[in-house]
Amino acid sequence: MRSMTGFGRCIMENKLLTQQWEIRSVNSKRLDLKWNLPLSTGNLENHFEKIVRSHASRGRIDISLSVQMLGAEMSMHFDHARAKGMLQALQALAESRNETYTPNYDLLLTIPTLWNTASDDMDEETVATLDEGLTLALEDWNESRETEGAALAHDLLARLLRLEQWTDILRDRAPAIKNERSEALRERISVELSALSLGDLAETRFLQESVILLDKLDVTEELTRLSTHLERLRELLQNDSDTGRRLDFTLQECFREITTCGNKIPDVQLSRLVVDYKNELEKCREQVQNLE
């Protein structure tokens, strides 16, 4: 189990180059990659993305690379068309102000967008070296995510145990509430019918009203489904990966069932327990939002 929040780094140096990869990530519903690559590797972005997707499925991931070539000469490509357009624009601006423009060509050296070391010039060995660096950075990143994921799982298991205990309390208390309400209803109907001198109809009326009330107070099915959902949560927390979405969905189902229980059970003590139950579920959902 992995958190979507993590950090990874790899620094490598060999006879070809010195490279440093850094990877930072936060939670996101989808896989969202943000690249910060040097111009010399810009055309390799799609190639690198395939490697990243083999290590991640969700999250907003910022990936940066700094690289310095060692002992190898790479041809520099100058964007003549762009430079010409820039100079013409400056010339037109000067003419519109009735001024003379004299270009300083040395300044073109400071404009990185005009210069490029095409990745096509990189040999297979250089690309393989960069792939290795990225893979090591991703492994370091995943290690940090697994550490945090284990902490999140431990916290969720503790909360799950609390929810299971509260479910048992609801299951034990709900029948007693039904009996209490049934007796209260019997007394109320008896009093009302006695006042109307209709004592012979008391039992029949009671049975009718009692059936309706007991049906409204019955939360057996809701508690059964709730227990099933809690068991499913425990199974998912023991899974290796790709549990975030399924955990989130199961928690929503738990929230639906406990809300129905709260609406059906007219008891002050259990109403407070239901409120605490919902708060705990919401805390679980906040934690799950960070899981891949």
Side-chain angles (χ1 to χ4, degrees), residues 118-155:
S119 58
D120 294 340
D121 293 339
M122 289 188 179
D123 56 33
E124 294 183 0
E125 184 179 2
T126 301
V127 175
T129 300
L130 292 173
D131 290 350
E132 181 184 2
L134 175 57
T135 300
L136 290 175
L138 287 168
E139 291 175 354
D140 184 54
W141 171 63
N142 274 336
E143 184 177 347
S144 72
R145 295 199 301 142
E146 289 167 2
T147 300
E148 184 171 342
L152 289 174
H154 180 76
D155 179 75

Side-chain angles (χ1 to χ4, degrees), residues 44-288:
L44 291 172
E45 182 176 314
N46 290 335
H47 173 78
F48 291 147
E49 182 172 333
K50 294 179 181 178
I51 299 176
V52 175
R53 288 185 177 276
S54 67
H55 289 76
S57 59
R58 295 175 65 195
R60 185 186 186 279
I61 309 174
D62 294 302
I63 305 174
S64 63
L65 166 66
S66 60
V67 61
Q68 180 181 1
M69 306 305 298
L70 302 175
E73 295 183 359
M74 301 188 68
S75 58
M76 299 300 297
H77 298 264
F78 181 68
D79 194 336
H80 292 269
R82 176 176 293 186
K84 183 178 179 181
M86 294 170 64
L87 292 173
Q88 288 177 345
L90 291 173
Q91 181 67 39
L93 175 63
E95 292 176 355
S96 67
R97 297 169 56 87
N98 295 321
E99 296 176 353
T100 302
Y101 172 68
T102 302
N104 182 352
Y105 293 103
D106 290 339
L107 293 178
L108 297 178
L109 294 171
T110 64
I111 304 177
T113 56
L114 297 178
W115 300 90
N116 182 29
T117 305
S119 58
D120 294 340
D121 293 339
M122 289 188 179
D123 56 33
E124 294 183 0
E125 184 179 2
T126 301
V127 175
T129 300
L130 292 173
D131 290 350
E132 181 184 2
L134 175 57
T135 300
L136 290 175
L138 287 168
E139 291 175 354
D140 184 54
W141 171 63
N142 274 336
E143 184 177 347
S144 72
R145 295 199 301 142
E146 289 167 2
T147 300
E148 184 171 342
L152 289 174
H154 180 76
D155 179 75
L156 286 168
L157 284 171
R159 296 183 186 279
L160 178 58
L161 178 60
R162 190 175 301 118
L163 293 174
E164 291 171 337
Q165 293 171 346
W166 287 346
T167 303
D168 291 337
I169 294 175
L170 288 170
R171 184 179 293 105
D172 294 339
R173 177 62 178 153
I177 294 175
K178 288 176 60 177
N179 293 334
E180 293 171 5
R181 292 293 173 175
S182 178
E183 290 300 322
L185 179 63
R186 177 189 289 274
E187 294 178 6
R188 178 67 180 274
I189 292 177
S190 297
V191 171
E192 294 295 332
L193 293 178
S194 296
L196 297 173
S197 300
L198 298 173
D200 293 341
L201 299 177
E203 190 65 26
T204 302
R205 179 68 181 275
F206 166 74
L207 290 175
Q208 293 174 348
E209 295 295 331
S210 180
V211 169
I212 295 174
L213 178 62
L214 293 179
D215 184 62
K216 292 181 178 179
L217 294 176
D218 188 9
V219 293
T220 302
E221 293 183 5
E222 287 78 4
L223 290 176
T224 299
R225 288 193 293 267
L226 186 57
S227 296
T228 301
H229 294 327
L230 294 179
E231 291 177 4
R232 176 59 174 162
L233 287 173
R234 188 173 290 277
E235 292 175 0
L236 290 173
L237 288 173
Q238 296 172 352
N239 233 354
D240 291 334
S241 62
D242 193 26
T243 60
R245 291 189 179 93
R246 285 177 286 176
L247 283 169
D248 190 34
F249 174 78
T250 307
L251 286 170
Q252 292 180 39
E253 294 300 307
C254 290
F255 198 93
R256 180 181 294 110
E257 300 300 340
I258 193 61
T259 298
T260 303
C261 289
N263 293 336
K264 281 189 171 185
I265 302 177
D267 181 79
V268 175
Q269 181 180 358
L270 289 189
S271 295
R272 293 174 180 172
L273 180 61
V274 168
V275 171
D276 292 338
Y277 205 113
K278 290 181 179 180
N279 289 335
E280 198 69 16
L281 284 175
E282 188 60 35
K283 292 176 182 177
C284 289
R285 288 194 63 188
E286 291 175 359
Q287 296 286 53
V288 166

